[in-house]
Amino acid sequence: MRLASLLLLTTALSACTAGPDYQRPATVLTPTYATPVATQAADATWWHRFDDPLLDRIVDKVLAQNLDIAAASARIAQSRAAAKAAGAALLPAIGAAGSASSASQSLHSPFGAAANQLGFPRGYELYELGAQASWEIDLFGGLARQRQAAVAGLQASTADEAAVRLSVVAETVDAYLQLRGLQARLDVAERQLAVQRALTDLIRQRVVQGLSADRDLNRAMGDAEGVEASLAPLRTAIAGQVNRLDVLMGQQAGSGRADLFSATPIPAAIIPTGSANPADLMRRRPDVVAAERRVAAANARIGAALADYYPKLSLGGLLGFASVGTAALFAGDAVQASGGLGLRWRLFDFGRVDAEVAGARGGEAEALALYRSTVLHATEDVENAFVRLAEGRNEVTTLERQVAVLRQARAQAQSAYESGAVALIELLDADRMLLAASDRLVEARAGEARASVAAIRALGGGYQEV
């Protein structure tokens, strides 16, 4: 009856959980972004919308083999184990124990001398076998708060893994787009070099015919050499992006897939996926989710620290057998049992609990500040990405018109030069202007595609509704 009353009392007390219950931090955001950009429904595999099978295969390989993603997954396993251990601390612990010992008392010891005088043997063998159990009653919720902190930590690790996954995939797509942009720029330069060489051959013929001076030939040859010199940095940058993709795919730099060195058109920019409501960043962006979960964990640690102000009760028990011989080990009279209630209370510890509580409150304040900072930086990322994407589209449109006009002007300049109506310098200027504008155009197209990736990344990438 006393035991039942004690259990009812401890159960009632365990409902008193120390510390504040968690409330999600309130963050006031505007209903829309400053830069209006159309968005589509979220897509978990957003990179497929570039419609590039090679890119799809690269991303699949990255997701399977990237070492940063593997490390983040391993951290989830660690956090899951910690959460499981914190949950197990709320339950009784039951174990088995056994021992066998042999002893022989000295005749010069009190026990040995007494046994000898009374005719008892001085030596004996003792065998013990049984089960023991212990249970810390979570009177004031300290263990429950620790479990809440561990679960929130697991959720933060899961969100961190999603953030790493999003970051690595976005970096992979960005590297691929940079590669295609560099290859397009190399193609423009090589085509311009062919034009320059053809022009040089034409001028050489005119020099032989006495229609042009040697200085015109030297000037044309110098321009051709300048264009050719611009090829080396582009080839170097291309090799760098291929090496970057190698490492992202979890393989040695320099392995270099042959199909990556074959130039293909720059994939067109895609429309960002995600909500146009900034408040949705709170559940879409994994780094924001992770920061919020760390606030929840820090809040739970305050309760765990406050619980140390109160007493802790534990129950313990033992049920087993003990005998001086194996023959009677499992006999009825060899049964032994014990039970007890333990109390532990940190009454005087010279402010250690106060310090632990203050540290826990400071940890929550830090986590809250980092969470709010993460939210603000997330909105900054989105606004910057939207502006970059919108202005990138304007730049591409303008450059397309410029290149079309300059291409026509260049053709007119060559016709005029061949007829002797203009000097060579005008034709060379037309070449330089066309080369510069064409180079900027392909770079802008790659930049627009990269800006769409940055916008998707800023919005939190693709996600599945839960």
Side-chain angles (χ1 to χ4, degrees), residues 19-313:
D21 291 331
Y22 177 67
Q23 298 291 330
R24 187 183 298 272
T27 304
V28 179
L29 297 174
T30 57
T32 59
Y33 296 110
T35 305
V37 174
T39 57
Q40 294 181 340
D43 183 2
T45 55
W46 51 268
W47 57 90
H48 290 314
R49 292 167 49 216
F50 281 106
D51 196 23
D52 190 320
L54 178 57
L55 175 60
D56 295 342
R57 292 195 297 271
I58 290 174
V59 172
D60 289 343
K61 193 169 184 179
V62 166
L63 290 173
Q65 298 180 188
N66 182 267
L67 297 180
D68 290 334
I69 295 177
S73 298
R75 287 191 288 272
I76 291 179
Q78 297 174 49
S79 298
R80 184 176 291 111
K84 185 176 181 180
L90 290 164
L91 303 174
I94 301 175
S99 65
S101 60
S102 177
S104 179
Q105 300 291 337
S106 169
L107 290 175
H108 297 287
S109 67
F111 295 103
N116 185 55
Q117 290 294 328
L118 296 174
F120 294 118
R122 294 186 296 115
Y124 63 89
E125 294 180 348
L126 178 63
Y127 297 90
E128 292 182 304
L129 180 65
Q132 53 190 7
S134 62
W135 185 17
E136 180 177 334
I137 307 299
D138 193 25
L139 291 178
F140 298 96
L143 296 177
R145 292 300 192 194
Q146 290 178 15
R147 182 178 182 276
Q148 290 173 7
V151 170
L154 170 60
Q155 293 167 342
S157 294
T158 303
D160 282 337
E161 192 267 350
V164 171
R165 184 179 295 268
L166 171 61
S167 176
V168 169
V169 170
E171 184 179 356
T172 300
V173 178
D174 182 80
Y176 184 83
L177 294 173
Q178 284 195 64
L179 172 64
R180 295 313 185 199
L182 289 165
Q183 289 172 333
R185 292 178 62 193
L186 179 63
D187 180 65
V188 167
E190 287 176 338
R191 285 188 285 109
Q192 184 62 29
L193 178 60
V195 171
Q196 290 291 110
R197 285 175 174 169
L199 177 61
T200 302
D201 291 339
L202 173 63
I203 297 173
R204 184 177 290 110
Q205 292 175 8
R206 292 173 63 90
V207 169
V208 171
Q209 296 169 357
L211 300 176
S212 296
D214 286 341
R215 65 176 179 273
D216 289 343
L217 178 59
N218 291 332
R219 184 175 296 152
M221 292 175 63
D223 273 19
E225 294 294 341
V227 174
E228 186 170 7
S230 69
L231 304 182
L234 291 173
R235 293 192 183 106
T236 300
I238 287 171
Q241 293 303 321
V242 172
N243 291 335
R244 181 184 176 196
L245 287 169
D246 282 338
V247 174
L248 287 168
M249 286 186 283
Q251 61 192 26
Q252 180 180 344
S255 303
R257 297 168 56 109
D259 45 8
L260 285 176
F261 286 99
S262 302
T264 60
I266 303 171
I270 60 177
I271 300 175
T273 59
S275 168
N277 184 352
D280 285 343
L281 286 177
M282 247 59 81
R283 65 184 182 89
R284 284 183 51 80
R285 276 191 50 138
D287 58 337
V288 175
V289 174
E292 185 273 330
R293 288 290 80 200
R294 290 191 175 92
V295 177
N299 179 84
R301 292 190 191 100
I302 295 176
L306 286 171
D308 280 344
Y309 280 125
Y310 307 105
K312 298 181 183 296
L313 292 179

Side-chain angles (χ1 to χ4, degrees), residues 316-332:
L318 170 68
L319 177 63
F321 303 90
S323 173
V324 294
T326 57
L329 180 61
F330 296 105

Side-chain angles (χ1 to χ4, degrees), residues 65 121 328 341 374:
Q65 298 180 188
L341 174 66
T374 302

